[in-house]
Amino acid sequence: MSPEDCDYTNECTCTVYDIETDETRPASDCFGECWLDQVERFTEATRHLFTSDLQPFRIEGFPTWHGPVNGTAEVRNAEQLLRAMTPSRTGWRLTLGAIFPDRFTATLYHHDAPTGGTMTVTPFEPID
């Protein structure tokens, strides 16, 4: 499964394999494996956009109740980027759109944007 075929979420549903039924089922406890798997996929999808130890990104179109907003974030890795482009106090789901050599698009769904909104995330070099 390619990274762009995946949804990313902070509301993981962890599963366990039941050998008796040969099926997976939701687990009663989640130890974070699903988040780490998502971070790994997101890292693979965005690795080419990181060119410095503290990479600045422009995030355009973050969906809010009052419409899209733009902003910037300086991050050290893909996990920090994923956290910077998603809300911190509510559940969210992110679907990667197109991945380009110089940017990517993603659709973000959350409490204040239940119908989603498309963002464009682009690395840039800070102006001194």
Side-chain angles (χ1 to χ4, degrees):
M1 181 180 301
S2 67
E4 59 272 15
D5 292 334
C6 300
D7 279 346
Y8 301 84
T9 182
N10 67 338
E11 296 179 332
C12 294
T13 302
C14 294
T15 60
V16 293
Y17 176 72
D18 185 338
I19 195 165
E20 292 178 15
T21 62
D22 191 31
E23 295 177 347
T24 58
R25 59 179 170 73
S28 59
D29 295 310
C30 182
F31 299 101
E33 290 89 352
C34 54
W35 174 253
L36 296 177
D37 290 343
Q38 291 182 94
V39 168
E40 186 177 317
R41 287 193 311 268
F42 191 74
T43 299
E44 287 301 313
T46 60
R47 180 181 317 276
H48 68 285
L49 298 174
F50 285 85
T51 59
S52 68
D53 290 338
L54 189 59
Q55 180 67 51
F57 282 89
R58 181 177 299 110
I59 302 168
E60 299 174 283
F62 181 90
T64 69
W65 187 261
H66 299 290
V69 297
N70 302 328
T72 61
E74 285 189 325
V75 298
R76 296 193 183 282
N77 56 47
E79 182 175 11
Q80 288 180 353
L81 177 59
L82 187 57
R83 290 183 188 279
M85 56 185 283
T86 55
S88 62
R89 296 185 179 157
T90 187
W92 53 264
R93 182 171 55 91
L94 180 96
T95 303
L96 284 182
I99 299 174
F100 301 98
D102 63 341
R103 69 190 183 288
F104 67 91
T105 61
T107 303
L108 177 64
Y109 305 87
H110 61 94
H111 174 76
D112 288 335
T115 59
T118 300
M119 300 182 295
T120 300
V121 181
T122 309
F124 68 94
E125 293 302 321
I127 300 171
D128 294 329

